Amino acid sequence: MANVTLAQWRMLAAVVDHGGFARAADAVHKSPSTLNHAVHKLEEQLGVQVLEPVGRQVRLTEAGDMLLRRARQLLESADALEDVAERLGEGLEAEVVIAVDQLFPPDALAQALDSVSRHYPHVRVQLHETVLNGGVEMLYDGRADLVVSGIAAQGFLGEPLVNVAFLAVSHPAHPLQHLGRELDLRDLEQHRQLVVRDSALRQSMDAGWLKAEQRWTLSHLVTSVDMLCRGLGFAWMPTTRIREALRTGSLVPLPLAVGGRREASMQLIFRDRDRAGPATRALAAALHAAVADCCDEHSIETNG
């Protein structure tokens, strides 16, 4: 049996959608005889009647209805494939790789990715959640198209994106919360500090105050927040990750005399701005827009 073509399925769909051969012919700019021949040829090839006459009109048979429903899925897929091919021919990337430091506001990241997905639904996105030098290392290796990082990358120009505030926090039942006075760094030395490991493979670094006699090193901020809420230590945490815990009282700031707050400036870095494709540029713009949309919310966090 010869293969039925997509063109034949399109003509059948046109006849059904427009209620007959004459109207369909006007809509698809074919003669009624061409459509009639295509449908009859389709029936011969399939060995199944797909249309039946009803007065001067035609309608789908039960078998034709089932087959056309499946054929429409093929037609939609073919249209999408042609659209992707056209966009690729115009320079659209098949995939965008972005490395984002875990400090970056997760709600802004989700908003930006959703925006790009709506405009470029066929572009795959690879998201790498990095810590410290991890994103910059991907940039140096040519493994990321965009990087959001608080670490400067030598040889690259970044653009300011957002400032993220850090607070020294613990569970309210932690012993440091019950000394009845302001704390200094000597108090912290006696208790467990939770820190997040640099995700860089070659040139990892330590950052922040690391003088506690006990220290747990974790791989993700989400794990660190969970451990903190269980009362298993203290840490400097970005307010972007502990907003809900602060609101509910699961975490509270440590009463440090100095050093309880600090800020990190996040920047957006292109691997090669001049060669960046439209989806990469759209994602960069969406990140800026998402930060702007969330800025009031995050200023409340950082000023609270």
Side-chain angles (χ1 to χ4, degrees):
M1 181 181 68
N3 292 326
V4 176
T5 66
L6 289 175
Q8 287 173 279
W9 287 119
R10 289 188 195 279
M11 286 187 247
L12 173 62
V15 171
V16 172
D17 293 341
H18 295 281
F21 289 97
R23 291 179 181 175
D26 291 336
V28 300
H29 308 294
K30 301 281 186 182
S31 67
S33 61
T34 298
L35 295 182
N36 198 300
H37 175 76
V39 171
H40 283 300
K41 182 67 174 177
L42 181 149
E43 290 179 322
E44 291 178 7
Q45 290 172 298
L46 295 176
V48 175
Q49 183 180 359
V50 295
L51 291 177
E52 59 185 3
V54 179
R56 301 182 62 181
Q57 304 294 321
V58 292
R59 70 181 179 190
L60 285 169
T61 63
E62 184 176 346
D65 181 65
M66 183 189 72
L67 290 171
L68 183 57
R69 276 190 283 111
R70 297 202 173 194
R72 288 188 191 277
Q73 296 175 2
L74 291 175
L75 295 173
E76 290 174 3
S77 296
D79 289 340
L81 181 61
E82 291 175 3
D83 180 64
V84 170
E86 181 180 355
R87 289 175 177 268
L88 288 172
E90 296 171 352
L92 179 67
E93 316 92 307
E95 180 177 83
V96 176
V97 180
I98 178 171
V100 180
D101 195 290
Q102 294 176 25
L103 306 182
F104 188 73
D107 49 351
L109 176 60
Q111 180 178 319
L113 291 175
D114 180 54
S115 173
V116 170
S117 179
R118 289 197 303 271
H119 289 91
Y120 299 96
H122 301 296
V123 175
R124 299 189 304 271
V125 175
Q126 277 201 42
L127 170 65
H128 294 264
E129 297 176 278
T130 59
V131 179
L132 293 172
N133 272 323
V136 171
E137 183 176 86
M138 291 186 66
L139 192 67
Y140 292 154
D141 292 346
R143 293 185 289 122
D145 302 302
L146 280 176
V147 170
V148 176
S149 176
I151 305 294
Q154 293 184 4
F156 294 86
L157 294 177
E159 50 196 69
L161 192 56
V162 66
N163 289 332
V164 176
F166 284 74
L167 288 178
V169 296
S170 74
H171 189 275
H174 193 281
L176 286 169
Q177 299 287 355
H178 299 282
L179 295 180
R181 55 176 172 79
E182 288 188 332
L183 308 179
D184 59 31
L185 298 183
R186 289 171 296 182
D187 296 312
L188 302 185
E189 290 176 0
Q190 309 304 316
H191 295 273
R192 182 186 301 119
Q193 181 183 5
L194 305 182
V195 298
V196 179
R197 179 183 298 108
D198 192 328
S199 61
L201 299 177
R202 295 188 304 275
Q203 296 182 347
S204 61
M205 63 179 288
D206 292 328
W209 185 85
L210 299 170
K211 295 184 179 180
E213 294 182 4
Q214 301 180 58
R215 188 164 82 233
W216 286 0
T217 302
L218 312 170
S219 297
H220 203 286
L221 283 173
V222 171
T223 307
S224 186
V225 173
D226 179 67
M227 296 293 184
L228 287 168
C229 291
R230 296 174 186 270
L232 298 178
F234 73 91
W236 274 264
M237 294 295 295
T239 55
T240 54
R241 291 285 183 170
I242 58 172
R243 179 180 56 202
E244 182 63 17
L246 290 171
R247 187 187 68 80
T248 61
S250 300
L251 294 177
V252 293
L254 289 172
L256 280 164
V258 293
R261 296 176 59 90
R262 58 185 175 87
E263 281 197 354
S265 179
M266 310 295 294
Q267 55 183 334
L268 178 66
I269 312 170
F270 280 85
R271 180 177 65 182
D272 189 332
R273 179 185 290 273
D274 292 336
R275 295 184 179 181
T280 301
R281 291 177 178 274
L283 180 52
L287 287 166
H288 280 289
V291 166
D293 288 344
C294 299
C295 65
D296 289 340
E297 183 178 357
H298 288 298
S299 65
I300 291 172
E301 285 182 5
T302 57
N303 294 331

